[in-house]
Amino acid sequence: MSEDDDAGLETLLDFIKESRGFDFTGYKRSSLQRRVERRMQEVGMATFGEYLDRLQVDQDEFTQLFNTVLINVTGFFRDPEAWRELQNEILPKLLAPKTRGEPIRVWSAGCASGEEAYGLAILLAEAVGPEEFGRRVKVYATDVDEDALATARQATYTDKELQAVPEEWRERYFERHGSRATFRGDLRHNVIFGRNDLVQDAPIGRLDLLVCRNTLMYLNAETQAQVLRRFHFALGPAGALFLGKAEMLLSHSRLFLPVDLKRRFFRKADHGDPAARPAHADGRRDGAGSAVDARLEDETLLVSPLATIVVNADEVVEKANQRAEAQLGVSAREIGRRFTELDLCQRITGLRASFEDVRRHHTSLWQHDAEFSRSATETLYFDIQVAPLEPDESGRVAVAIFFSDVTRYRRMTGELQSAHRQVETAYEELQSTVEELETTNEELQSTVEELETTNEELQSTVEELETTNEELQSTNDELQSMNDELRQRGTQLDEANDFLESVLGSLRTAVVVVDTELIVQAWNARADDLWGLRSEETVGQHLLNLDIGLPTERLRPLVRQALGGDGPPEQPLRVEAINRRGRTVQLAVSASPLTLRHRGPTGAIVLMDQVDGHGNGREPPP
């Protein structure tokens, strides 16, 4: 979020708080911004400033905004496994210590449209019976959304909304009114709805069960801690807390202890400190009544891991062990000096005052994280216990002072706090992710329904494609048969072409076949031998354009006559030509029409036969 966006969102939240009393400052900023921006997109607003102007002129827009920000996603017995645990394990343990007639108080915080509150009422009615429920049970249901509370007070739901309620409970606890069902009126009076802001308003007290599911995940860590302290105050000594699956209380173990972490059940933690045991300094053995060996006491004090100083009733240092000398600089030279004159009392703030209080009141005192600068570069931290010993006959007491070095633990505490902050940040991100997953899950549910409809359409399309595939298979079989037939005819055609080429090649007469445009279609071997041109050079060429020693212009009338459908002339045309050897030859040329069945001439067959000077059809020797 940019600084401008951040400032714009804060201004918008301040306006909502001042004008409508909704304080969203404790909500997670990332989630809150996303929900507000979603509403802004729906109304076509680009900036928070524009949307603030819209709220100032359109009071009805507040309702739409709250419905978007306060995600009222609920239902009867969401997470059935957790509700079964509540019915079978948690409620029996809560109700067992109750005497007959003792009230049972339950709070559903963030109840939305009421399904959760009525679900609790059903389980309690099953546990104690409807009559006892009416006399003993109070289910308080609260939310900050007045529209959701108005819906909840009606206690009327559709069949789809009641799907998660077992059939026998639907018949027992709901009354049918047309297409909707209403919660039983005699039990409805024990479910009390009201507006309560968990952040600002006082909690409901003396509770046996507090249910707040998937509400804390929208709050930041500081606000969560504030709300949880109120929940701790609201619960009775044996009270239970039931949270949503996205909330684990990992960082609030001092307030609540897990009963079933998987299903999010917790109990109120006991903060009573155990009574301190009195210190004994009677110098006697247990049960023996004889004096304790002074030497053993001295040696024990000497090797004690705690720096220890003993000050007698005259405020004079009586003893100091090795640890006191090593850490605090209190050596044997200090024995016999007044304790308050020691440099130690000046360098540890509050130590002298604690010493005086203990001597005056005869009660033990603790100083935690007391700072002691041993040198310019080294500072130690101690937990100091100033404990009175038994008073003498005049009522004065000696004092023992124990210095526990916590320097290492202080450093570790700093590292732990840093790690804790990182865990808190990760936890907030995790909760934000879980929230997004919850929202995404709702959207996916809608998408699944659309996909189911699409699946039906696809199924119908698949059936149509199956039918089309069978038709294509049949067509493919027909095409395969036609392909086989064409292949067979191609083979026959190749055989016919080979036969025709064999026939033309066997003739002693030069044969040229042309189409109606006088384009050469066939050219046999005798024509090749006569004119010196191969079939590849002539086929596709115009007959009259061929560079051969034949006066082709004299052939045009002859060929045109044949193309006109007339038969060959009675006498062949005699022409003189020059063959491929450069010799002059006499040719007898005739042309016949090339006629297909039931069609006119499609070309002409030109026959050129070399004759000798006597008109015989043979070629003279070279």
Side-chain angles (χ1 to χ4, degrees):
M1 184 189 301
S2 67
E3 293 184 1
D4 291 341
D5 288 344
D6 194 5
L9 179 60
E10 294 302 324
T11 301
L12 179 65
L13 297 181
D14 290 340
F15 174 75
I16 295 174
K17 180 178 179 180
E18 293 173 2
S19 60
R20 289 303 181 97
F22 274 80
D23 186 3
F24 289 120
T25 55
Y27 283 60
K28 291 179 181 176
R29 282 299 181 270
S30 59
S31 175
L32 187 60
Q33 181 188 7
R34 186 169 58 253
R35 304 304 299 177
V36 174
E37 287 179 344
R38 178 175 179 178
R39 180 56 192 167
M40 289 167 55
Q41 291 175 358
E42 292 175 356
V43 296
M45 298 294 174
T47 65
F48 292 112
E50 294 178 2
Y51 191 61
L52 177 59
D53 294 338
R54 172 69 177 266
L55 289 176
Q56 290 172 339
V57 299
D58 185 1
Q59 296 299 311
D60 294 335
E61 178 60 25
F62 280 99
T63 301
Q64 300 300 325
L65 175 61
F66 294 154
N67 289 337
T68 302
V69 174
L70 305 172
I71 305 174
N72 294 321
V73 177
T74 186
F76 282 96
F77 307 115
R78 294 183 74 192
D79 306 326
E81 186 178 351
W83 283 87
R84 284 193 294 271
E85 175 80 3
L86 176 63
Q87 180 186 14
N88 299 328
E89 300 294 335
I90 304 301
L91 283 181
K93 292 178 181 178
L94 291 177
L95 300 179
K98 296 279 186 182
T99 60
R100 185 173 182 83
E102 188 176 355
I104 302 168
R105 296 166 61 85
V106 178
W107 181 15
S108 172
C111 66
S113 51
E115 287 91 332
E116 185 179 89
Y118 293 119
L120 290 169
I122 291 174
L123 294 188
L124 288 165
E126 287 290 303
V128 301
E131 293 183 2
E132 284 292 305
F133 179 89
R135 288 194 293 265
R136 301 174 57 191
V137 177
K138 293 291 183 184
V139 178
Y140 300 94
T142 64
D143 202 282
V144 295
D145 190 345
E146 290 287 1
D147 291 339
L149 290 173
T151 301
R153 291 186 179 101
Q154 295 175 4
T156 301
Y157 301 97
T158 63
D159 291 337
K160 183 178 181 180
E161 293 169 331
L162 292 173
Q163 283 182 351
V165 181
E167 181 65 30
E168 58 177 329
W169 287 359
R170 272 182 269 173
E171 296 178 356
R172 190 179 307 163
Y173 295 104
F174 290 88
E175 300 168 350
R176 175 64 60 178
H177 297 283
S179 61
R180 302 176 69 87
T182 303
F183 192 69
R184 277 176 53 174
D186 57 331
L187 304 181
R188 165 67 182 84
H189 298 300
N190 293 70
V191 183
I192 303 167
F193 291 94
R195 187 184 184 282
N196 182 281
D197 188 336
L198 298 179
V199 179
Q200 296 180 340
D201 298 333
I204 299 170
R206 297 179 291 113
L207 298 173
D208 299 293
L209 174 64
L210 199 164
V211 180
C212 182
R213 311 193 70 230
N214 296 335
T215 299
L216 295 178
M217 67 182 186
Y218 298 110
L219 307 177
N220 59 37
E222 180 181 354
T223 308
Q224 281 187 16
Q226 176 184 347
V227 172
L228 287 171
R229 285 194 294 269
R230 296 185 179 190
F231 284 178
H232 184 271
F233 173 79
L235 283 171
L241 175 65
F242 181 18
L243 298 180
K245 60 183 179 181
E247 299 151 335
M248 299 181 66
L249 299 190
L250 293 177
S251 58
H252 301 281
S253 57
R254 295 184 59 193
L255 297 176
F256 297 96
L257 300 176
V259 175
D260 187 334
L261 187 59
K262 178 181 178 182
R263 299 173 182 87
R264 307 296 189 264
F265 288 101
F266 302 84
R267 67 176 177 85
K268 182 176 180 179
D270 183 9
H271 285 295
D273 293 325
R277 290 177 294 180
H280 293 281
D282 56 358
R284 299 187 176 275
R285 293 184 186 273
D286 244 318
S290 60
V292 177
D293 190 334
R295 183 178 61 83
L296 291 179
E297 285 185 347
D298 290 341
E299 290 183 1
T300 301
L301 175 64
L302 188 66
V303 300
S304 172
L306 298 182
T308 305
I309 299 174
V310 179
V311 182
N312 63 22
D314 297 321
E315 302 184 24
V316 174
V317 177
E318 183 78 20
K319 296 179 181 179
N321 65 357
Q322 295 175 350
R323 198 71 172 171
E325 180 177 0
Q327 289 185 327
L328 304 172
V330 181
S331 63
R333 291 174 298 180
E334 310 294 333
I335 304 300
R337 291 183 58 188
R338 292 182 65 83
F339 175 76
T340 55
E341 296 175 354
L342 295 181
D343 185 48
L344 182 68
C345 286
Q346 313 303 323
R347 296 166 66 181
I348 298 181
T349 303
L351 178 58
R352 181 171 182 172
S354 298
F355 174 78
E356 298 293 346
D357 284 345
V358 170
R359 284 177 53 80
R360 186 181 307 112
H361 301 293
H362 298 186
T363 58
S364 180
L365 287 179
W366 278 90
Q367 272 188 252
H368 295 286
D369 290 332
E371 183 176 334
F372 174 72
S373 298
R374 188 159 65 173
S375 66
T377 59
E378 183 180 13
T379 300
L380 301 180
Y381 296 87
F382 295 92
D383 281 348
I384 303 174
Q385 183 184 16
V386 184
L389 303 179
E390 287 208 0
D392 59 12
E393 296 153 353
S394 63
R396 298 181 305 166
V397 296
V399 175
I401 307 171
F402 305 94
F403 298 80
S404 178
D405 187 359
V406 295
T407 305
R408 180 165 61 99
Y409 304 111
R410 182 181 175 88
R411 295 194 187 102
M412 292 176 61
T413 300
E415 297 172 357
L416 180 62
Q417 289 175 347
S418 176
H420 182 70
R421 286 192 294 269
Q422 295 176 3
V423 170
E424 287 282 351
T425 302
Y427 180 66
E428 290 177 11
E429 295 175 355
L430 175 62
Q431 285 187 323
S432 178
T433 302
V434 170
E435 169 203 346
E436 293 174 358
L437 288 175
E438 287 283 345
T439 305
T440 303
N441 187 53
E442 299 294 332
E443 297 172 353
L444 286 177
Q445 183 64 34
S446 175
T447 303
V448 166
E449 295 174 358
E450 294 175 1
L451 288 176
E452 289 177 352
T453 303
T454 305
N455 186 54
E456 296 296 329
E457 297 173 356
L458 288 175
Q459 184 63 33
S460 175
T461 303
V462 167
E463 294 174 356
E464 294 176 3
L465 289 175
E466 230 10 87
T467 303
T468 304
N469 186 53
E470 293 178 358
E471 295 174 355
L472 289 175
Q473 185 64 37
S474 175
T475 303
N476 187 55
D477 294 340
E478 294 175 4
L479 290 174
Q480 187 65 37
S481 299
M482 293 175 63
N483 188 48
D484 293 340
E485 183 177 351
L486 288 174
R487 188 181 298 108
Q488 182 179 2
R489 291 191 178 184
T491 302
Q492 294 174 354
L493 180 59
D494 291 341
E495 292 175 353
N497 287 334
D498 292 342
F499 178 77
L500 179 59
E501 290 181 2
S502 298
V503 170
L504 292 177
S506 301
L507 293 176
R508 297 288 297 171
T509 302
V511 180
V512 179
V513 180
V514 297
D515 61 10
T516 56
E517 300 297 329
L518 301 186
I519 303 301
V520 177
Q521 302 296 315
W523 184 274
N524 74 345
R526 179 57 182 160
D528 185 355
D529 183 60
L530 182 62
W531 307 114
L533 293 177
R534 296 189 302 276
S535 173
E536 293 84 354
E537 298 174 295
T538 57
V539 173
Q541 301 294 324
H542 198 284
L543 175 62
L544 303 184
N545 293 337
L546 294 177
D547 186 14
I548 57 178
L550 178 69
T552 54
E553 285 301 324
R554 296 186 61 186
L555 298 182
R556 185 188 298 274
L558 182 66
V559 176
R560 290 299 181 189
Q561 182 181 354
L563 291 175
D566 298 335
E570 295 181 0
Q571 294 295 327
L573 176 66
R574 294 294 187 98
V575 295
E576 186 178 276
I578 298 174
N579 66 9
R580 68 182 179 88
R581 297 182 180 87
R583 296 180 180 180
T584 301
V585 294
Q586 297 292 327
L587 296 178
V589 182
S590 62
S592 301
L594 178 62
T595 306
L596 298 179
R597 186 181 303 174
H598 306 305
R599 292 178 60 183
T602 61
I605 303 173
V606 180
L607 303 176
M608 293 172 285
D609 193 15
Q610 184 175 347
V611 297
D612 57 16
H614 302 285
N616 296 320
R618 64 178 182 276
E619 182 181 2

